[in-house]
Amino acid sequence: MRRDLPYALSGLALGGLLLGNAALAPDAAPVRVVDVLLVLVMAAGLAVCRRHPVVALGVVTAAMLALHVRVHPGVSAAFPVLGVAYVAAWRGHRLATVSASLVFLGGFLARDISVAPADRPGQLIVERTALLLGWFVAANVAGLVARQRRAYLEQVEQRAIEAERTREEMALRRAGEERLRIARDLHDSLTHSISVIKVQAGIAVHLARKHGEEPSATLLAIQEASGAAMRELRTTLDVLRSPTDGDPVGLSRVDELAQRTRAAGVPVQVTVTGRPRDLPAEVDQAGYRVVQEALTNVARHAGPATAQIHVEYAPAQLTVSVADDGQASPDGTTTPGVGLRGMRERVTGLGGTLRAAARDDHGFTVRATFPLDGPP
């Protein structure tokens, strides 16, 4: 109804114009009740022309022809018909628009000729009829042009939507192909090597026990670490091959990391402060990977050392740190490797900060802070 309001107001304004013109025109007949009703019918037709253009066109044309025959208000009787003709042409009703235009022009000309005085030159009638004909042609053409422009804009918009959808589908397809390629490369380059390590460690443990010897702690640690690496690699490959996430790791498995590191000969202590809570999956996994990489660096580079893992839950942030008392010296230089760069990319990609540096009393500290109060 709100969209019909401008049409209804236009009908009332044209009705006032018609009645005022009929009252002021010298050759117009007196306005009677029937004529006012015809004006109201015209206004009602204009009010519904958006939803029912053909019906409104017929009603307005008939009402204005009747008003012209009865009162003869002049060319102002054509204004409502012109407006509805434009709307009908814009909505695609070409035949109805042309027919109504010809009917109104024919009736208008016939009435002018029938009441024309003998001393009135026919040139005036022809000029007024030609003027109305030009107006109706312009209204029909303008409606058709507006319809074609709307169709063109809709087509352009549809093409843009289709292009965007195609672009998104292409990006998803390429991402899927890249995931599969990475999965194949990881499988070809890592799975075989880790499987060989696991099998060889298992054979060594089996032979030691077969000969009545207890396998060394290092050998058991290699067997356990290779098995864990195989499980994580298998999970990673499943995630890469599938668009949905698999079973991601998280800080709840830090104790497993500490246990494997202890089995490799590095004493590890785990401290958790604050109240543990549910974390975003990306933050939870990134915190686990930071601890994992830091413990790996301790086992590889720190020499004889102990490690402390500290996980601190705060209302607005999560802090994960791994410190050791190994061989690193504050006077030495630390060259970031692939592991440190990967940790920094994980942390900064989630809006956090990472500090990895030697301690003042020898050793090394990795400290990652993740914000928890920002957007996901």
Side-chain angles (χ1 to χ4, degrees), residues 68-79:
H68 180 66
V69 171
R70 288 179 53 82
V71 180
H72 195 262
V75 294
S76 60
F79 295 163

Side-chain angles (χ1 to χ4, degrees), residues 111-128:
R111 200 273 178 184
D112 280 1
I113 294 175
S114 63
V115 299
D119 56 347
R120 185 177 182 180
Q123 182 181 358
L124 296 178
I125 299 176
V126 173
E127 289 178 353
R128 186 162 65 173

